[in-house]
Amino acid sequence: MAKLLDKQRYKCALGAMQSVQAIERALPILHSGPGCAQKLSESTGSSGYFSPNIFPCTSINEKDVVFGGVKKLNSTIKNALKVVDADLYVVLTGCIPEIVGDDSSEVVSRFTDGEKPVIYAPTAGFKGNNFKGHEQVIDAIVEQYLEKSETKQKGLVNIWADVPYQDLFWLGNIRELEKLIKEIGLTPNTIFGYKRGIDNINKIPEAEFNLLVSPWVGLGSMKKMERKLGIPYLHYKTLPIGATETSKFLREIGKFAGVADEKIEAVIKEHEDYYYYLIERYADLFLENRVINKQFTVVADAQYTLGITKFLVNDLGLVPAKQFVVDDTPKNYREQIAEEFKNLNYGIEAEVSFETDGYKIHEEIQNHDYHGYPLVLGGYYEKEVTESLKGNFLNVSWPVQDKVVFDSFYVGYAGGIRLIEDIYTVAVSRFN
């Protein structure tokens, strides 16, 4: 019997066009049906220099299903190179050409000697979601464009986090990670966002190591870079939010990179002193507030569910109810991620469910006794169910429909303060 999947929180692998779009002056070329870009670009802040509305697309139809679409793909790439001024062209395939067997990689190989790089990533929807599509774009850059470098820049670190646009806070988060890395004396290199792009892509092989800040997304790409480019990697599984996790984060990076303990501890002390000064100013609000109950639930991808759970327990002393990871995490990563939910302060452990069906998630939230008002941090889908329980809701994960985010962030010490502000703004508004 067929099953319905209600309120899924991800897109098909072709949604990786947004990862390409996040690389400045990189252009997705879609070998797909005509409606894919429009359906996959429904997120605030996804216009820009190259808007999804003008991505070159083969717009394949029934005739191409019968006779193949490689000629159309060849002409689309050729004309895109003539008409659109970009630094990197990334061909992404949808379901139809993958099903009928179009040899897209062979077509792309005809352009390898051109003035501008053209690469190819197989992103058919049936091969995975946009989290996997994001990895496929990084893999394509590594396998088809980059070459191993015999020289290394001392202190240069490639930083990789989660999926642009899927995470509405991606730009601010990665800029804050850059800032923290700079403060401990290293040089960050990222390829997404303002004034990054092809120049930073070219620097990737010269880095001393890769830093992956993600429970699982991108881990396969790190291993590819280690094999092909000889770049070791540090995998930090938890998005560092707030003082407790960010201080752990800096110490681990410092140890891996060989930064002096005195330097790391000086940076940590400066941030923690100000962080806890702000916390102390609002201690009465935290201790006497009777609106937010101590139990909370997070409904998000693995990155935010794990990062926010650790933050709320370790920094604010709240108690977790069941947490939900909704990014369809591959099964081979789930056990390791579930163990991280047991690695909380005060001996607290959080139960986690890897669930993609919004109906089942809402059913569990409704049936749980929060012993008062629940605090739910999740996608906009959770707003209605939280309101039915008279709880407090904060939209932190996709889909985000009740806020506009330019470059705000939840990473680091400052990001933790912003998250506290957002949570307690919701709480105190109940009195108005």
Side-chain angles (χ1 to χ4, degrees), residues 156-188:
L156 185 66
V157 182
N158 299 321
I159 303 176
W160 310 90
D162 217 335
V163 182
Y165 294 103
Q166 176 72 19
D167 172 11
L168 204 61
F169 300 93
W170 67 273
L171 180 60
N173 279 348
I174 205 161
R175 293 293 87 85
E176 188 66 11
L177 288 172
E178 286 181 339
K179 180 180 175 183
L180 290 168
I181 293 300
K182 282 182 181 177
E183 288 186 32
I184 61 173
L186 300 174
T187 303

Side-chain angles (χ1 to χ4, degrees), residues 215 237-242 245 298 301-314 341 344 410 419:
K237 297 176 183 176
T238 304
L239 187 70
I241 302 174
E245 197 62 38
V298 183
D301 59 28
Q303 171 178 260
Y304 275 108
T305 302
L306 179 58
I308 293 175
T309 296
K310 286 194 173 185
F311 168 71
L312 293 180
V313 173
N314 297 342
F341 283 89
L344 305 173
Y410 285 149
L419 183 51

